[in-house]
Amino acid sequence: MSDSQFSQDTDDDDFGGYIKIDRYNQERIDSLKDNYHNVLKQIGEEPEREGLLKTPERVAKAMLYLTHGYELNAEEILNSAKFKEEYSQMVVVKDIEVYSMCEHHMLPFFGKAHVAYIPNGHVVGLSKIPRVVDVFARRLQVQERLTNEIRDCIQQTLNPIGVGVVIECRHLCMSMRGVQKQNSVTTTSAFTGEFLKEKTRTEFLNLISSKLS
Amino acid sequence: MSDSQFSQDTDDDDFGGYIKIDRYNQERIDSLKDNYHNVLKQIGEEPEREGLLKTPERVAKAMLYLTHGYELNAEEILNSAKFKEEYSQMVVVKDIEVYSMCEHHMLPFFGKAHVAYIPNGHVVGLSKIPRVVDVFARRLQVQERLTNEIRDCIQQTLNPIGVGVVIECRHLCMSMRGVQKQNSVTTTSAFTGEFLKEKTRTEFLNLISSKLS
Ligand SMILES: Nc1nc2c([nH]c(=O)n2[C@@H]2O[C@H](COP(=O)(O)OP(=O)(O)OP(=O)(O)O)[C@@H](O)[C@H]2O)c(=O)[nH]1
Ligand SMILES: Nc1nc2c([nH]c(=O)n2[C@@H]2O[C@H](COP(=O)(O)OP(=O)(O)OP(=O)(O)O)[C@@H](O)[C@H]2O)c(=O)[nH]1
């Protein structure tokens, strides 16, 4: 997508470790800074008061961090830790924290993702599942597309017997503005292969609602 | 602050009922739209794809809504429903939903506010307490200042025997980025008069933690 340098470590520079401040990213930050300086003026604030002096730059960096998924490749991540293994039961990674941004209002939505697959000769390093969730969540999204993208990426890369993805999120665009519903949670799901059968899907849904698994 | 028309009804126009689209506000929306169009480009998105076509305008309106507190006057709101009444016990309004925006990262923080006062000849219409919370929350804020501003406004307008304010919030700037602490909650408090005494403060804190009151 660009020649910028995005790292997947989380602790090796000054904002989350994801964004290297090379020339390309510095130009993006400078351009975003100008935008957010004007946003402060338009909403009726004083961009020069002490508390706001560094805000345009912080917001610029925060936005790049919150959308760094555009720069990552989920298939590469999965392929980097794919191992031959004869295990053939369901693998479930549940309660994966999800933070994303609604593409309509650029407000956060967040909650949990639960991902399962049934291996077909290959398993994947467990930590790679939450990483794949993050690759797609750290973009402007709608929850339905996020759910499908995670499913499709796992299906295409691991070619498993089936994939199941369930996501439950609170959307701030519905609670802090708009219809102002405080506690509504949106649940979406996507399945392939074996998970299209009711028995497998029920097992998956039972496992993610259990307190033990 | 401006000659714009902000209404306090919540259902009489097309975004939250707070912002009338007069010429002044239309100019602000247009200017913000340009900014958010560029934000889409800088983060690596395609502003012309279908899902994003209306995004700059939605974000512009959302930002104005989320900061409409600058246009409201909390003292006027309290004075508009101030009644002579000899009640002299503590009045507590607890679990008031708070949605605000961190002034450092322009990311939401949200949770609950609990407000108490001991009347001094006057009480105020109950709904005006959450309205005052909103006037100060719907701005760029830090939680400590938000807490103090609510306290000071009530103290100055009602001149009660004392005021107590406790706010508990989750800051997305600490969970979805930065230190990435998922469950940390920040609690702040501010007191005047009688609430500076331990006995009164303890009664208030007991009332807000009780499931019954
Ligand atoms: N299906 C789906 N809809 C979403 C998501 N995020 C999100 O904002 N929406 C919806 O996108 C729609 C945008 O509609 P709109 O163009 O009328 O925007 P608006 O701000 O005036 O709508 P609103 O005030 O009802 O939120 C809203 O219904 C909003 O709830 C999502 O992840 N999935
Ligand atoms: N006291 C207080 N601090 C706040 C609030 N909101 C908020 O972002 N902060 C803090 O403001 C500071 C801004 O610091 P900074 O200039 O180093 O910004 P940064 O983005 O690099 O910091 P970070 O990555 O640690 O969040 C952070 O410590 C952040 O946690 C608030 O309501 N009250």
Side-chain angles (χ1 to χ4, degrees):
Chain A
M1 175 162 262
S2 76
D3 61 349
S4 77
Q5 295 285 317
F6 275 71
S7 134
Q8 285 163 36
D9 292 324
T10 53
D11 47 17
D12 67 321
D13 81 17
D14 74 341
F15 59 118
Y18 276 90
I19 301 164
K20 300 279 182 238
I21 307 207
D22 56 11
R23 209 181 69 193
Y24 169 73
N25 281 326
Q26 189 59 53
E27 280 170 15
R28 298 206 289 165
I29 291 168
D30 290 343
S31 173
L32 289 167
K33 264 168 75 172
D34 289 346
N35 289 143
Y36 289 114
H37 191 271
N38 187 50
V39 170
L40 291 177
K41 283 200 298 189
Q42 295 301 329
I43 63 174
E45 263 291 1
E46 297 157 37
E48 312 311 329
R49 75 172 167 83
E50 195 218 345
L52 296 180
L53 279 179
K54 288 173 66 185
T55 294
E57 180 162 355
R58 281 200 208 92
V59 181
K61 290 180 173 180
M63 270 307 292
L64 291 187
Y65 177 72
L66 298 177
T67 57
H68 72 260
Y70 293 113
E71 315 278 332
L72 300 176
N73 185 318
E75 301 196 1
E76 266 175 29
I77 290 174
L78 286 181
N79 280 322
S80 74
K82 199 169 139 182
F83 312 108
K84 272 215 176 91
E85 194 62 61
E86 284 316 313
Y87 179 87
S88 63
Q89 293 301 303
M90 198 182 287
V91 177
V92 183
V93 184
K94 73 172 205 176
D95 293 340
I96 302 169
E97 287 132 10
V98 176
Y99 288 96
S100 190
M101 300 273 279
C102 142
E103 78 177 24
H104 299 136
H105 305 93
M106 286 198 203
L107 285 171
F109 67 92
F110 54 92
K112 299 216 156 142
H114 315 286
V115 178
Y117 72 103
I118 301 171
N120 185 9
H122 286 94
V123 297
V124 70
L126 277 185
S127 69
K128 303 306 175 192
I129 302 279
R131 280 192 191 277
V132 165
V133 170
D134 246 21
V135 169
F136 295 110
R138 298 306 196 163
R139 302 180 181 195
L140 298 187
Q141 275 288 11
V142 297
Q143 190 176 322
E144 295 92 331
R145 189 171 71 233
L146 173 60
T147 313
N148 285 346
E149 286 178 344
I150 295 166
R151 174 199 60 188
D152 294 345
C153 171
I154 296 174
Q155 182 61 43
Q156 282 154 25
T157 315
L158 297 184
N159 190 31
I161 313 284
V163 177
V165 180
V166 170
I167 302 186
E168 312 168 278
C169 282
R170 256 185 91 180
H171 289 245
L172 284 180
C173 63
M174 290 211 292
S175 55
M176 82 187 291
R177 58 162 294 291
V179 290
Q180 316 244 8
K181 293 302 167 216
Q182 308 307 315
N183 299 310
S184 83
V185 171
T186 303
T187 303
T188 48
S189 53
F191 304 102
T192 64
E194 193 64 25
F195 286 81
L196 295 170
K197 299 189 188 146
E198 197 183 325
K199 220 184 101 200
T200 310
R201 197 152 70 209
T202 304
E203 180 182 335
F204 171 45
L205 297 176
N206 284 342
L207 283 170
I208 65 179
S209 56
S210 130
K211 296 254 173 281
L212 275 179
S213 76
Chain B
M1 179 163 261
S2 75
D3 61 350
S4 76
Q5 294 285 315
F6 276 70
S7 133
Q8 284 163 39
D9 292 325
T10 53
D11 48 16
D12 66 322
D13 81 16
D14 74 341
F15 58 119
Y18 276 91
I19 301 164
K20 301 279 181 236
I21 308 209
D22 56 11
R23 209 181 70 194
Y24 168 73
N25 281 327
Q26 190 59 54
E27 280 170 16
R28 298 205 290 163
I29 290 168
D30 291 343
S31 173
L32 290 167
K33 264 169 75 173
D34 290 345
N35 289 142
Y36 289 114
H37 191 272
N38 186 50
V39 170
L40 291 177
K41 283 200 296 188
Q42 295 302 328
I43 63 175
E45 263 291 1
E46 297 157 36
E48 312 312 328
R49 75 171 168 83
E50 195 218 346
L52 296 180
L53 278 179
K54 288 173 66 186
T55 294
E57 179 163 353
R58 283 201 206 89
V59 181
K61 289 179 173 181
M63 269 308 292
L64 290 186
Y65 176 72
L66 297 178
T67 56
H68 71 259
Y70 293 113
E71 314 278 333
L72 300 174
N73 185 319
E75 301 196 359
E76 264 174 31
I77 290 173
L78 285 180
N79 279 322
S80 73
K82 197 168 141 183
F83 311 108
K84 272 216 172 91
E85 194 62 61
E86 284 314 314
Y87 179 88
S88 63
Q89 293 302 303
M90 198 181 288
V91 177
V92 183
V93 185
K94 73 172 202 175
D95 293 339
I96 303 168
E97 286 133 10
V98 176
Y99 288 97
S100 190
M101 299 273 279
C102 143
E103 78 177 23
H104 299 137
H105 304 93
M106 286 198 203
L107 285 170
F109 66 92
F110 54 93
K112 299 215 156 143
H114 315 286
V115 178
Y117 71 104
I118 300 171
N120 185 9
H122 286 92
V123 297
V124 71
L126 276 186
S127 70
K128 303 307 175 192
I129 302 278
R131 281 192 189 277
V132 165
V133 170
D134 246 21
V135 169
F136 295 110
R138 298 306 196 163
R139 302 180 181 195
L140 298 187
Q141 275 288 9
V142 296
Q143 190 176 322
E144 295 92 330
R145 188 171 71 234
L146 173 61
T147 313
N148 285 345
E149 285 178 344
I150 295 166
R151 174 199 60 189
D152 294 345
C153 171
I154 296 174
Q155 182 62 43
Q156 281 154 26
T157 315
L158 298 183
N159 191 30
I161 313 283
V163 177
V165 180
V166 170
I167 302 185
E168 311 168 279
C169 282
R170 253 185 94 179
H171 289 245
L172 284 180
C173 63
M174 290 211 291
S175 54
M176 82 186 290
R177 56 162 296 290
V179 289
Q180 315 245 9
K181 293 303 166 216
Q182 310 305 316
N183 298 310
S184 84
V185 170
T186 303
T187 303
T188 48
S189 53
F191 303 102
T192 64
E194 192 64 24
F195 286 80
L196 296 170
K197 298 188 188 148
E198 198 184 324
K199 219 183 102 200
T200 310
R201 198 151 70 209
T202 304
E203 179 181 336
F204 171 46
L205 298 176
N206 284 342
L207 283 169
I208 64 179
S209 56
S210 130
K211 296 253 173 277
L212 276 178
S213 76

